[in-house]
Amino acid sequence: MPPDANPEPPDPGHRDPGDSTPGGRDPGDSTPGGRDPGDSTPGDRDLGDRTPGDRPPGYPDRTPGHRTPGPRTLSAEEAATYERLRHASTQRHRKARYAGSSLLLLITLLLALPAVVAAWTADTVSDTDRYVDTVAPLASEPAVQDVVTDRLTARVVSNVDVDAVTKELGKALADAGAPPAVVDRTQALSGPLKAAVSNVVHGIIDRVVTSDTFEEVWVDANRRAHAAVVAVLTGDDSGAVRAEGDSIKLDVGPLIDDVKQRLVDQGFDKASAIPAPDAQITLFQTDKLSEAQDALRLLDVMGVWLPVITIVLAALTVWTAPAHRMMLLITASGVAVMMIVLLVGLAVARRIYLDSVPTSVLPTDAAAAIYDTFVRFLRDSTRTLLVVAVITALAAYLFGPSRVARWVRGQSARGTGAAGHALRDAGMRTGAAGRWLDTHRSWATGIVIGAGALALLLWNRPTVGVVALVVGLVVVVLALVAVVAATAAPAGAPPRTADGPGAADGPGPGDFTRPG
């Protein structure tokens, strides 16, 4: 070939036989990149030349003869076996959780009824103020007032010896020289005189019993009596009535000192020299006193801890179950049924009580008023728990995947979304708060519902009206949150619900309402 001819371009795949290194490197250059073999500065050595001690964790071993295994594809039979074992393990786990939650549910429902009764009993028996609040309305019950008036009248009239009065009247007339016929007729005045005395006494007592004074006396008497009984049963010896061994004793020392002082104040100076008798009077003895004291202590413990244990078990029931929402629905429904059973039991007990009390001892209307007054706080608490259980079950249902629940959520989302978009078009801006609410709808909903539940839990003796108020506030706050979130939503975005965008879409990735 002539020297001035253009040489052919070298073949990229052609390598000079003498060039034994890739890329035409110098054969003496045995290190990558042409480094000096003696250059062993840190960070400049080949990682494969490192000793196992200084090799980075997880770095593959490149020692001669070692080959790193690559990913291995399972055969169809192996993959089917793996899926079958995984499915069996999952099913065993779910069955164990269902069994545990079912057992906890059974215990919770069995404890629900005695927990309510124990809390009410302990509250009424050991708390004097609560007991007084319970019995105070009896003083204004007409049936009870009639019974009290009749019994006080009978007691007063029985202490008036009408026959002796008529005899004294006849003797006085005889001494005055009245005709014998007149004297003899005085004995016939016994009946009319007794009726007249009864009418007068009855009228006076009726005016006292129906006045505000009687209510004050009634409350004070019940407060003193209940405090004395509680002091006896709890072993408190600071009051006038105290327990000593198996005896109930009344300490009259302060009363005697007060009487002596009043006599001295009225001019009876010799009263100060009256010797003090035994200051304690034994009211009665019983070998059951220690048992009654132990029963009250047990009642106090059960009244406090049994409701707490029941609530904890209910929470564990929902948490243990694989389907949290469904178990919440079942638990709330079961508690509602138990509260209905308790209300029916109170009605049956009322009928049994009224049938067992003779009308000669207590009129039926008075007995009914007494029973209704004593159990009214228990009945109110039961109704309150029934309403709470029904609302909880309804909320769990509305957060579920049923067609009705999704329709309700969709209508609510469309309504709040339209309101939010109208406010946005009017120029209202909610800033970062609105954007956070729009992207964290589930969190916001959970926080509002949790705050409402906490308010009911911390409320001192909530009633049905209080429950209705709290639920109404929760619904209003949830609506406001949805409107604010919709105001910050991008224009044209579909309405969002707690479980994802759009009422008709499936549950979103953050849905906490799914059955599983």
Side-chain angles (χ1 to χ4, degrees):
M1 179 180 296
D4 55 348
N6 292 330
E8 294 180 2
D11 187 291
H14 176 75
R15 192 172 54 180
D16 186 77
D19 187 2
S20 61
T21 60
R25 291 181 301 166
D26 190 333
D29 187 2
S30 60
T31 59
R35 291 180 301 168
D36 187 359
D39 186 5
S40 60
T41 57
D44 219 10
R45 291 184 301 165
D46 185 88
L47 293 177
D49 295 334
R50 294 190 180 188
T51 60
D54 62 357
R55 186 177 297 113
Y59 195 85
D61 190 3
R62 293 183 178 178
T63 56
H66 177 80
R67 178 175 297 177
T68 302
R72 179 174 178 270
T73 304
L74 297 178
S75 64
E77 182 180 357
E78 291 174 335
T81 302
Y82 170 76
E83 288 296 331
R84 184 175 64 255
L85 294 176
R86 187 177 66 86
H87 179 73
S89 176
T90 303
Q91 289 300 317
R92 285 195 298 270
H93 181 66
R94 290 177 66 87
K95 289 180 180 179
R97 292 179 63 184
Y98 273 122
S101 61
S102 300
L103 179 61
L104 290 174
L105 174 63
L106 178 61
I107 299 175
T108 299
L109 297 183
L110 291 178
L111 291 180
L113 194 150
V116 175
V117 176
W120 168 76
T121 305
D123 198 18
T124 303
V125 171
S126 60
D127 189 345
T128 299
D129 292 334
R130 186 66 165 177
Y131 171 78
V132 171
D133 292 340
T134 300
V135 301
L138 291 175
S140 57
E141 284 287 342
V144 177
Q145 291 176 345
D146 294 340
V147 172
V148 173
T149 301
D150 294 341
R151 293 192 175 183
L152 289 179
T153 300
R155 180 64 62 86
V156 172
V157 173
S158 64
N159 292 326
V160 177
D161 192 352
V162 178
D163 294 335
V165 172
T166 55
K167 289 180 181 179
E168 290 294 333
L169 178 60
K171 183 179 179 181
L173 291 175
D175 294 341
V182 176
V183 175
D184 294 340
R185 289 183 179 276
T186 56
Q187 298 299 323
L189 297 175
S190 179
L193 182 59
K194 192 170 186 177
V197 171
S198 298
N199 291 334
V200 172
V201 172
H202 187 277
I204 295 174
I205 293 178
D206 182 70
R207 286 193 296 270
V208 174
V209 170
T210 55
S211 65
D212 296 337
T213 303
F214 175 72
E215 295 185 17
E216 296 175 1
V217 173
W218 174 267
V219 170
D220 185 65
N222 278 278
R223 183 180 297 278
R224 291 175 181 271
H226 187 271
V229 172
V230 171
V232 169
L233 294 180
T234 57
D236 185 8
D237 58 356
S238 60
V241 180
R242 61 189 64 178
E244 293 184 4
D246 292 338
S247 301
I248 305 297
K249 296 185 177 182
L250 175 64
D251 185 7
V252 296
L255 178 62
I256 294 175
D257 294 338
D258 184 64
V259 172
K260 290 167 60 176
Q261 185 61 42
R262 292 190 179 189
L263 291 174
V264 171
D265 293 341
Q266 294 180 4
F268 296 94
D269 296 335
K270 299 292 185 180
S272 59
I274 297 176
D278 186 4
Q280 288 187 342
I281 300 176
T282 300
L283 299 178
F284 62 91
Q285 291 182 334
T286 176
D287 56 354
K288 302 294 185 180
L289 180 59
S290 59
E291 297 180 7
Q293 292 175 337
D294 294 339
L296 180 62
R297 285 191 287 267
L298 178 62
L299 184 62
D300 287 338
V301 173
M302 292 181 61
V304 173
W305 288 107
L306 193 57
V308 175
I309 293 174
T310 305
I311 294 175
V312 172
L313 288 177
L316 288 177
T317 300
V318 177
W319 178 76
T320 306
H324 302 313
R325 183 195 62 82
M326 184 59 65
M327 184 54 70
L328 177 62
L329 175 60
I330 295 174
T331 303
S333 301
V335 172
V337 171
M338 296 304 296
M339 294 303 103
I340 294 175
V341 170
L342 181 54
L343 290 175
V344 173
L346 290 176
V348 173
R350 183 179 187 272
R351 174 50 55 189
I352 295 175
Y353 167 73
L354 295 179
D355 294 340
S356 63
V357 178
T359 56
S360 59
V361 176
L362 194 63
T364 303
D365 55 350
I370 292 174
Y371 179 87
D372 293 339
T373 300
F374 267 96
V375 303
R376 78 180 192 280
F377 285 133
L378 175 59
R379 188 182 289 114
D380 292 344
S381 300
T382 305
R383 290 171 178 169
T384 301
L385 290 176
L386 174 60
V387 172
V388 171
V390 170
I391 292 175
T392 303
L394 180 61
Y397 174 78
L398 291 178
F399 275 95
S402 67
R403 180 175 300 178
V404 175
R406 297 183 65 80
W407 181 85
V408 172
R409 295 201 304 270
Q411 294 298 319
S412 301
R414 278 190 284 271
T416 55
H421 295 163
L423 292 175
R424 183 188 59 201
D425 295 340
M428 180 178 178
R429 296 294 181 267
T430 56
R435 290 190 297 272
W436 187 91
L437 291 176
D438 182 53
T439 56
H440 299 83
R441 184 70 59 87
S442 297
W443 277 97
T445 302
I447 291 173
V448 173
I449 295 177
L454 183 63
L456 287 178
L457 188 63
L458 298 180
W459 200 292
N460 186 24
R461 302 185 181 102
T463 60
V464 175
V466 172
V467 174
L469 174 62
V470 172
V471 171
L473 291 176
V474 168
V475 172
V476 170
V477 173
L478 288 177
L480 292 177
V481 168
V483 171
V484 173
T487 305
R496 295 173 60 93
T497 61
D499 54 354
D505 296 334
D511 181 21
F512 58 90
T513 65
R514 289 179 295 176

